[in-house]
Amino acid sequence: MRYGLLPTIVVALWASPAPAAEPITFEQHVRPILKAYCLDCHGADEKVSGKLDLRLKRFAVAGGKNGPAIVLKEPDKSLLVERMKSGDMPPVGKKVPAAQIAIIEKWIAAGAPVRRDEPATLPPGLGITADERAYWFYQPLKRPSPPAFAPTDRVRTPIDAFVLAKLRERGMSFNADADRATLIRRAAFDLTGLPPAQKEIDEFVADPAPGAYEKLLDRLLASSAYGERWGRHWLDAAGYADSDGDGSTDTVRPFAWRYRDYVIRALNADTPLDRFVIEQLAGDELVPRPWTNLKPEQIDLLAATGFLRTAPDGTASGGTPADTEQVVTDTLKIVTSGLMGSSVACAQCHDHRYDPIPQADYYQLRAVFEPALDPGKWRRPGDRVVSLYTDADRARAAAVEAEAGKMQADFNQKQSAAVRAAFEKELEKFPADARPKLKAAFDAPADKRTEDQKKLVASNPKLNITPGVLYQYDVKSDNELKAMQSKIQAKRAERPVEPFVAVMAEVPGRVPATKLFYRGDARQPKGPDLAPADLTIAGQDGKRFEIVPPGASGATTGRRLAWAKHLTDGAHPLFGRVMANRVWLNHFGRGIVDTPGEFGKLGQTPTHPELLDWLATELPRQNWSLKKFHKLVMTSTVYRQSSVRDPAKDAMDRANALYGRFPVRRLEAEAVRDRMLVAAGRLDRTPFGPPVAVVEDGAGQVGTPDDKPRRSIYLQARRSKPVAFLTAFDAPAGELQCERRTATTTAPQSLMLLNSTFVRKQAGDVATAVQAETKPTLSGFPTTVATALKTGVPVERLVEKAWHRAYLRAPTADELKLGSAFLETQTIVLQGKAKDPRLAALTNLCQQLLASNEFLYVD
């Protein structure tokens, strides 16, 4: 693929406008507006403001203390319209937009029609209407049948059938399949975040076997790099960081990396998605107490609960009750937006203004997590760790300390004797008659010395001999003592290091109550204790999931485990759609719902709703295997088609929302950095363990030590010190969570590619590697031939090798000509300015390749 200017990013907002002939009704068009701006005061509570209830049309006609709110067929005389236009209603917050006021006016002018007969009475609160329940996201999951197509239509999977049906509606079809070299590069970056080796490309291109592509996918999915690549996607949504984000202190989380490693290991092991989520929500409830002598798999279960400890924690270095509440709020947001695609937090202070989520639902969902979070008995991060010491470790530590204690006692005795001997020797230098008084003065405890003794001590500092100055009096004894001290330190170093794991867990036997907070204010709890439950709207056939309290013998409440099992039972309408959409998003750069953390009314509607439901039902049918799901998506024609643009298709679908071609995508920041390290031959693929600490260079830019070129997922994620190179290319930088990365094109990116010490270093290493690969072998040649070969390598060979390292392909004839001319010109220009002009010129060429679109983008 050849690139010109960076592709323009077009964001298509998919709406579902009502047909022009469809009448405006209260339920479908007016009530949502009133709910967003009015019902908080005029219907949400049992006592309504101004005695005006706007939950039903007839209530609005009846009006309140100021008379009717609407006058049928006369919007100009309707108090509701008048107050909205004047800005008096709502009295605070955002005002009703003119376009929405116009809808209400048209409705009143038409006689204020309703879709169905209104009930005679309503219970207190807003409740959930039939129209709200009818929204697509809250419908039960049903498996649609794929459209039928002929074999010539290249429908390889049901995915293709759903997508092609949408394309045909617009008179379009699939692009031709991508060539095999493009396909292997695409698949390798998609599944591993790393480029394939040249040998792998050559073998795949030359393999005519029908199942060669499927075997390639199997090899990539079996790579340990797969978990690192897709682990990064999951950690984005979880809001993972290696620091607490507690203001300027930004306390380091020393054990957070165990959660990161858990995610990578679980994905590599193809842990079923339902189990994967259950472990993160309630892994602690799957490990019997007491937590001693833990097995590796049990440690992983405890580490998995790090998902519930990713939110910033302002209490790490102090904090207030407000900081505690903020952690609880943020944790619930990460869970609900990440796993349920819902902005449930909007219901913290009042009923959700756009989605059918009552305020009580928010707090009943909070009750699921309340025992573990427990804001009433808050535990700071340091109080939420579990020691991984085994009984054997403790016994070994005690034995080592016993030995070290004996050595320390011997040391103390010898040190005291050496100091005393030095004192006695120094005392001999004084007159005999003065010695008794001096000795008595120095031997007396400091707080019991007489005034005369204090004067003697102060006037004779040479006799004030301590271990710290012993070397001035007795070098031999001081050296012997230092040697003993080193042995003691070496002995204590034999103690097993005590490791820890950060855990979200309940305190056995403690069950804090959950109450609704008036206006979301934790200082104003009201009403009865609330039972833990799922969202009402997520219940099938009106059957809401509520958690039954466990028996008195339960070590924990079991709430999180029960809810996690319910969430992942395969029938939950929110979870299945959200998970299928997230996998799709990370394969194609956009989701079927392109607001992956918001599927409600504030989000976008799906471009392919039938496909989304089919995928959501396919996940449990595949036993929740993500690897099988990846393979299903990647063997489709939708995925395998070329990315070549067609002007006719662009005119119909410029944003490619219908997938008539494969989208050209820029690599994520981490993949860009890792690809540069691979090209330079420097990538350290060591997995797992503590992160590489970030450092600031002389210019104040945050990076990592050059001698630690590990994969980017293993770099420390400090909220206050994000790695400059990664943030330039749109990596998350301290946000609560990242539901969807954007790919911007900005000047700082170009400046980073031109001026970054990191980029320049990798370019130099690529150049050195290219030069080494093309260096002639001189052994066995006659002297005259060897001398001739030393004069240099043809620039064409250098260009060819540089192209292969950067682009995984040979240069075209024009590229070979341009690259060679650049090298020759640069070599001349750098004469006298560089120690090795040819190498400097080659470094400049390699930097241009690393900074090019073809290196940064994948088609």
Side-chain angles (χ1 to χ4, degrees):
M1 176 175 175
R2 312 292 176 262
Y3 298 87
L5 295 175
L6 294 177
T8 302
I9 299 174
V10 180
V11 178
L13 297 177
W14 285 78
S16 299
E22 183 181 1
I24 297 175
T25 61
F26 176 79
E27 295 89 341
Q28 189 174 4
H29 303 97
V30 175
R31 189 181 185 279
I33 299 173
L34 298 179
K35 184 180 180 183
Y37 296 96
C38 308
L39 295 189
D40 196 26
C41 296
H42 298 283
D45 293 327
E46 191 169 354
K47 183 178 180 181
V48 295
S49 178
K51 298 184 178 180
L52 175 62
D53 191 339
L54 293 176
R55 292 178 297 164
L56 296 175
K57 169 241 179 139
R58 62 184 179 82
F59 289 170
V61 172
K65 69 177 184 180
N66 292 323
I70 63 172
V71 178
L72 299 183
K73 297 188 177 181
E74 297 187 80
D76 292 342
K77 295 182 180 179
S78 296
L79 185 61
L80 177 66
V81 174
E82 176 190 325
R83 290 290 181 88
M84 285 182 173
K85 285 186 172 180
S86 68
D88 293 336
M89 185 173 176
V92 295
K94 292 182 179 180
K95 304 304 179 182
V96 186
Q100 296 191 14
I101 297 175
I103 291 174
I104 294 176
E105 289 182 294
K106 290 179 181 179
W107 172 68
I108 295 173
V114 294
R115 298 182 70 179
R116 60 183 65 84
D117 291 340
E118 294 186 328
T121 59
L122 280 181
L126 300 185
I128 298 176
T129 69
D131 285 86
E132 289 173 327
R133 190 169 285 281
Y135 186 66
W136 72 270
F137 185 40
Y138 307 122
Q139 294 303 297
L141 277 174
K142 295 181 180 179
R143 188 172 177 84
S145 298
F149 286 96
T152 55
D153 292 316
R154 296 165 55 225
V155 173
R156 292 181 169 108
T157 71
I159 292 172
D160 299 325
F162 288 110
V163 173
L164 185 57
K166 285 284 187 180
L167 287 169
R168 288 285 173 83
E169 290 177 6
R170 305 289 289 273
M172 297 186 291
S173 187
F174 293 126
N175 268 2
D177 283 356
D179 64 80
R180 292 173 77 82
T182 296
L183 197 56
I184 185 175
R185 287 195 296 266
R186 178 188 298 173
F189 278 113
D190 195 353
L191 289 179
T192 71
L194 299 173
Q198 189 64 54
K199 181 181 178 183
E200 293 173 318
I201 296 174
D202 295 341
E203 290 177 351
F204 178 68
V205 170
D207 188 351
Y213 178 58
E214 287 75 9
K215 291 179 181 178
L216 167 68
L217 296 181
D218 289 338
R219 289 196 301 272
L220 293 172
L221 288 166
S223 166
S224 60
Y226 160 73
E228 293 167 337
R229 168 66 165 169
W230 281 79
R232 181 65 267 171
H233 295 323
W234 185 267
L235 295 176
D236 274 8
Y240 175 84
D242 289 300
S243 63
D244 280 308
D246 48 329
S248 58
T249 304
D250 196 23
T251 305
V252 171
R253 289 175 170 167
F255 315 113
W257 58 270
R258 291 190 187 276
Y259 169 64
R260 175 250 288 155
D261 286 358
Y262 158 80
V263 169
I264 295 171
R265 275 195 292 268
L267 292 175
N268 276 334
D270 200 20
T271 301
L273 181 61
D274 58 338
R275 176 72 181 188
F276 182 56
V277 171
I278 288 170
E279 289 176 353
Q280 293 178 76
L281 292 173
D284 59 300
E285 297 190 21
L286 300 173
V287 182
R289 293 178 183 257
W291 291 337
T292 56
N293 301 310
L294 294 167
K295 300 175 182 177
E297 59 270 22
Q298 293 177 318
I299 296 172
D300 266 355
L301 288 172
L302 296 180
T305 64
F307 175 71
L308 299 176
R309 291 295 301 139
T310 57
D313 192 338
T315 72
S317 55
T320 64
D323 292 320
T324 297
E325 282 298 322
Q326 190 63 51
V327 179
V328 177
T329 299
D330 289 345
T331 300
L332 289 178
K333 182 183 184 303
I334 290 170
V335 170
T336 55
S337 63
L339 302 180
M340 303 172 74
S342 298
S343 54
V344 175
C346 293
Q348 185 177 3
C349 302
H350 46 69
D351 289 356
H352 200 297
R353 286 178 172 150
Y354 302 97
D355 296 325
I357 303 175
Q359 186 183 14
D361 273 22
Y362 175 86
Y363 287 95
Q364 288 194 264
L365 188 60
R366 171 174 165 144
V368 173
F369 300 90
E370 189 102 31
L373 292 166
D374 201 357
K377 294 286 185 179
W378 186 250
R379 288 166 288 160
R380 295 179 179 176
D383 301 323
R384 296 180 182 269
V385 296
V386 171
S387 173
L388 299 181
Y389 246 20
T390 64
D391 289 343
D393 291 329
R394 296 185 191 282
R396 175 60 181 157
V400 168
E401 186 55 38
E403 290 184 56
K406 292 178 181 177
M407 295 170 68
Q408 185 68 49
D410 186 37
F411 171 84
N412 293 341
Q413 183 180 0
K414 290 185 177 182
Q415 185 184 64
S416 297
V419 169
R420 188 65 187 183
F423 173 79
E424 295 289 353
K425 185 176 180 180
E426 193 65 24
L427 189 63
E428 291 295 326
K429 298 177 182 179
F430 287 82
D433 59 344
R435 293 173 197 167
K437 289 185 177 181
L438 286 169
K439 184 177 180 180
F442 278 93
D443 285 347
D447 59 342
K448 294 184 178 180
R449 287 172 182 159
T450 65
E451 290 301 318
D452 289 340
Q453 287 177 331
K454 291 178 181 179
K455 290 178 182 179
L456 282 174
V457 169
S459 60
N460 293 280
K462 282 190 174 185
L463 288 176
N464 191 22
I465 302 173
T466 63
V469 297
L470 181 62
Y471 69 94
Q472 298 177 4
Y473 301 88
D474 188 347
V475 174
K476 181 180 178 181
S477 294
D478 187 65
N479 288 339
E480 289 175 353
L481 288 167
K482 286 178 178 176
M484 290 180 68
Q485 200 166 35
S486 296
K487 289 180 179 179
I488 294 171
Q489 291 172 350
K491 174 55 66 175
R492 286 204 164 103
E494 294 177 11
R495 288 185 51 165
V497 175
E498 186 172 12
F500 293 88
V501 59
V503 181
M504 172 65 84
E506 300 179 14
V507 174
R510 176 171 166 76
V511 185
T514 300
K515 292 182 178 293
L516 186 146
F517 296 159
Y518 178 73
R519 298 294 184 185
D521 187 348
R523 297 168 299 181
Q524 300 186 66
K526 69 172 189 177
D529 294 352
L530 297 176
D534 194 17
L535 299 180
T536 303
I537 193 63
Q540 302 295 301
D541 301 322
K543 297 178 182 178
R544 184 186 189 189
F545 177 73
E546 297 184 349
I547 298 172
V548 178
S553 61
T556 68
T557 63
R559 295 179 182 182
R560 283 174 292 123
L561 183 58
W563 184 72
K565 288 180 177 179
H566 163 69
L567 186 71
T568 60
D569 65 3
H572 200 287
L574 281 58
F575 177 77
R577 290 179 173 117
V578 169
M579 289 298 103
N581 187 70
R582 187 174 302 287
V583 177
W584 184 273
L585 162 71
N586 288 316
H587 277 302
F588 292 97
R590 64 173 298 137
I592 297 172
V593 173
D594 210 26
T595 49
E598 180 53 84
F599 280 51
K601 286 296 184 74
L602 294 177
Q604 295 185 28
T605 54
T607 56
H608 299 73
E610 295 85 4
L611 172 59
L612 181 59
D613 277 14
W614 187 88
L615 292 171
T617 57
E618 184 67 14
L619 266 171
R621 288 166 71 98
Q622 296 276 8
N623 293 320
W624 296 100
S625 168
L626 282 177
K627 290 190 176 183
K628 290 181 180 178
F629 198 76
H630 290 308
K631 196 170 181 179
L632 172 68
V633 171
M634 296 176 74
T635 52
S636 69
T637 299
V638 181
Y639 185 88
R640 294 165 73 162
Q641 64 184 324
S642 164
S643 63
V644 174
R645 301 189 73 139
D646 180 342
K649 284 185 177 179
D650 282 352
M652 298 291 290
D653 180 26
R654 187 169 182 80
N656 194 35
L658 299 180
Y659 304 102
R661 58 179 167 82
F662 189 82
V664 176
R665 297 175 60 191
R666 197 194 70 206
L667 293 171
E668 287 95 341
E670 293 86 350
V672 172
R673 178 182 176 275
D674 293 348
R675 185 177 186 179
M676 287 186 178
L677 289 168
V678 171
R682 300 184 62 238
L683 182 65
D684 177 359
R685 304 195 187 205
T686 304
F688 310 131
V692 177
V694 297
V695 294
E696 290 187 38
D697 61 19
Q701 280 203 337
V702 176
T704 56
D706 185 63
D707 62 344
K708 297 184 183 297
R710 297 189 66 193
R711 283 204 74 170
S712 300
I713 195 170
Y714 298 116
L715 304 186
Q716 187 182 53
R718 287 288 299 272
R719 296 184 192 275
S720 60
K721 295 181 179 180
V723 176
F725 183 88
L726 300 182
T727 53
F729 287 93
D730 307 309
E735 298 94 331
L736 178 63
Q737 63 185 140
C738 178
E739 289 290 349
R740 181 183 188 277
R741 291 198 189 187
T742 56
T744 63
T745 303
T746 62
Q749 292 168 358
S750 297
L751 294 172
M752 185 67 69
L753 293 169
L754 286 172
N755 303 318
S756 166
T757 303
F758 170 77
V759 177
R760 187 66 182 172
K761 166 65 177 171
Q762 307 325 307
D765 287 337
V766 174
T768 300
V770 166
Q771 195 175 63
E773 288 176 350
T774 55
K775 186 176 181 180
T777 301
L778 305 182
S779 61
F781 284 95
T783 304
T784 54
V785 176
T787 302
L789 289 173
K790 284 182 179 179
T791 58
V793 176
V795 291
E796 291 82 4
R797 286 188 62 195
L798 294 171
V799 172
E800 287 174 353
K801 289 293 184 181
W803 244 254
H804 274 291
R805 275 194 166 261
Y807 298 153
L808 307 173
R809 66 173 178 84
T812 65
D814 285 344
E815 290 170 336
L816 185 61
K817 183 178 179 180
L818 287 170
S820 300
F822 178 88
L823 265 184
E824 290 173 342
T825 302
Q826 283 282 294
T827 302
I828 294 170
V829 170
L830 293 168
Q831 291 290 338
K833 300 178 181 178
K835 183 178 179 180
D836 186 341
R838 171 63 66 89
L839 180 60
L842 185 56
T843 298
N844 288 345
L845 174 63
C846 291
Q847 185 173 5
Q848 296 305 308
L849 299 182
L850 298 185
S852 66
N853 278 356
E854 183 166 351
F855 189 86
L856 300 174
Y857 283 76
V858 174
D859 60 342

